[in-house]
């Protein structure tokens, strides 16, 4: 049994991944892949992982949990998607750390599935854009609640990932950058669900809807329906060309100016944050057990 945990991060997905997989539940079930409805497990997994942290879990514990969520018996892989397993909005940034309890919460989630191969999937986002978006989100409680005396210049995704690796060293982590998602979207879906690479998921084009006009979105969908891709690299090249030609510039991830930069954030400061993020990605690539998907 494989357990795929898609854990966000916050403000990178808006449930588009799990909605696409849910739309293809029948097709994925034929390959032994289960995608339970999010309402059936999000709060349950969070609460159970906390409650069971100091208790022994075994094959029976795992089976009892999954029996309540799965409709079929011949399941080889289960996909769960919940950013709240790592933190709620108010506890994403604390004391110069992203997701300070990420390691503990990951270990608790893995503890629920002692007989399974657990793997984690995450999108990362440039802090120069992530922090203003988080502060703007009404669920976060504003700048004072979000930053909690943290200095944005000290925040590193690599530090969070090292804590996660230390807490669950046998759990592989697959990452991608939010700004690369347009070129990687079909590959991301395949990595998380584990479906056969040649399988075409219905509705994967929906992710691009807000980036284009209805006319150009339909043209893109029609092109891919009529012209099967050779491989992932071929599809990335086609997507790149289409996005360059058809996508509205302001709709691209991290494109244009930040909606609401924080007080004191000059253009130079934002450039520094972005450069630190790029340097951090180089460190992330060297973390054991971590795979960074790149175009």
């Amino acid at each position: 049994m494989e357990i795929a945990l898609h854990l966000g991060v916050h403000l990178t997905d808006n449930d588009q991944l799990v909605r696409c997989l849910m739309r293809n539940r029948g097709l994925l079930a034929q390959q032994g892949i289960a995608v339970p409805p999010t309402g059936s497990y999000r709060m349950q997994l969070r609460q159970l992982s906390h409650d069971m942290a100091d208790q022994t879990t075994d094959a029976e514990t795992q089976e009892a949990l999954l029996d309540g969520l799965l409709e079929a018996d011949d399941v080889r892989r289960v996909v769960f998607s919940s950013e709240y397993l790592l933190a709620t909005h108010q506890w994403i940034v604390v004391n110069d750390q992203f997701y300070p309890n990420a390691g503990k919460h990951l270990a608790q989630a893995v503890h629920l599935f002692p007989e399974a191969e657990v793997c984690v999937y995450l999108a990362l986002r440039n802090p120069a854009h992530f922090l203003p978006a988080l502060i703007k989100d009404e669920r976060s409680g504003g700048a004072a609640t979000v930053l909690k005396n943290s200095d944005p210049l000290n925040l590193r995704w690599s530090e969070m990932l090292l804590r996660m690796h230390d807490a669950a060293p046998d759990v592989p982590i697959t990452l991608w950058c939010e700004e690369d998602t347009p070129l990687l979207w079909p590959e991301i879906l395949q990595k998380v669900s584990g479906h056969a690479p040649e399988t075409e998921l219905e509705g994967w084009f929906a992710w691009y809807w807000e980036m284009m006009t209805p006319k150009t979105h339909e043209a893109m969908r029609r092109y891919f329906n009529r012209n099967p891709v050779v491989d992932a690299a071929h599809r990335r090249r086609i997507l790149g060309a289409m996005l360059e030609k058809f996508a509205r510039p302001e709709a691209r991830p991290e494109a244009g100016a930040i909606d609401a930069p924080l007080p004191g954030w000059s253009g130079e400061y934002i450039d520094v944050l972005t450069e630190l993020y790029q340097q951090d990605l180089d460190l992330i690539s060297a973390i054991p057990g971590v795979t960074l998907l790149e175009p």
Side-chain angles (χ1 to χ4, degrees):
M1 173 71 72
E2 299 169 359
I3 302 293
L5 298 177
H6 173 237
L7 302 180
V9 299
H10 291 73
L11 306 179
T12 60
D13 176 72
N14 296 320
D15 279 347
Q16 294 187 81
L17 184 146
V18 72
R19 284 202 300 268
C20 183
L21 298 185
M22 285 287 295
R23 182 173 178 175
N24 291 271
R25 288 181 73 192
L27 176 64
L28 295 174
Q30 296 174 16
Q31 300 183 27
I33 303 164
V35 189
T38 56
S40 69
Y41 64 80
R42 278 186 171 167
M43 296 306 298
Q44 181 183 9
L45 281 184
R46 180 177 170 84
Q47 189 62 47
L48 273 177
S49 63
H50 177 269
D51 293 344
M52 297 294 293
D54 297 322
Q55 301 183 41
T56 301
T57 57
D58 53 24
E60 292 184 2
T61 310
Q62 175 177 305
E63 184 177 0
L65 171 58
L66 293 176
D67 278 349
L69 298 172
L70 305 182
E71 299 173 357
D73 294 327
D74 54 341
V75 173
R76 64 172 180 84
R77 185 178 177 92
V78 185
V79 179
F80 294 118
S81 180
S82 179
E83 59 197 15
Y84 293 102
L85 276 175
L86 292 185
T88 58
H89 283 75
Q90 294 86 352
W91 296 99
I92 292 174
V93 180
V94 181
N95 297 328
D96 286 340
Q97 291 183 324
F98 282 127
Y99 295 88
N101 292 315
K104 180 180 76 172
H105 290 166
L106 174 59
Q108 289 175 346
V110 172
H111 184 61
L112 294 176
F113 306 103
E115 298 298 314
E117 297 179 18
V118 180
C119 42
V120 165
Y121 300 88
L122 285 167
L124 304 180
R125 190 172 178 183
N126 183 349
H129 293 261
F130 179 64
L131 293 173
L134 182 60
I135 289 168
K136 185 178 179 181
D137 192 299
E138 61 183 14
R139 295 166 292 183
S140 69
T145 301
V146 168
L147 293 178
K148 294 183 177 63
N149 299 316
S150 295
D151 183 347
L153 293 174
N154 293 333
L155 293 168
R156 300 289 185 277
W157 291 116
S158 59
E159 189 273 335
M160 178 195 79
L161 292 165
L162 283 169
R163 284 186 279 109
M164 293 174 69
H165 173 70
D166 289 343
D170 296 327
V171 175
I173 301 175
T174 299
L175 309 167
W176 57 94
C177 298
E178 173 71 357
E179 55 269 28
D180 292 333
T181 301
L183 297 179
L184 298 175
W185 183 238
E187 295 170 63
I188 292 167
L189 292 167
Q190 193 278 324
K191 290 290 185 181
V192 176
S193 75
H195 64 260
E198 65 273 11
T199 301
E200 184 85 3
L201 293 186
E202 180 182 349
W204 69 268
F205 308 100
W207 189 91
Y208 302 89
W209 177 255
E210 294 185 358
M211 298 183 70
M212 301 179 175
T213 66
K215 183 177 180 179
T216 55
H217 187 270
E218 173 59 22
M220 172 184 170
R221 186 191 66 80
R222 191 164 55 246
Y223 178 89
F224 276 102
N225 284 340
R226 294 176 178 175
N227 301 275
V229 298
V230 176
D231 53 27
H234 178 219
R235 181 170 51 213
R236 287 197 299 270
R237 288 195 297 272
I238 296 173
L239 282 171
M242 287 189 168
L243 292 169
E244 182 68 26
K245 184 175 182 179
F246 296 132
R248 292 180 288 109
E250 71 276 10
R252 296 168 184 165
E254 317 304 5
I258 297 173
D259 287 341
L262 301 184
W265 281 32
S266 63
E268 182 179 357
Y269 185 84
I270 291 170
D271 289 343
V272 170
L273 283 175
T274 300
E275 176 60 28
L276 290 173
Y277 170 59
Q278 294 298 327
Q279 294 175 9
D280 201 30
L281 292 176
D282 293 335
L283 296 176
I284 286 168
S285 300
I287 298 175
V290 170
T291 299
L292 178 63
L293 302 180
E294 297 180 278

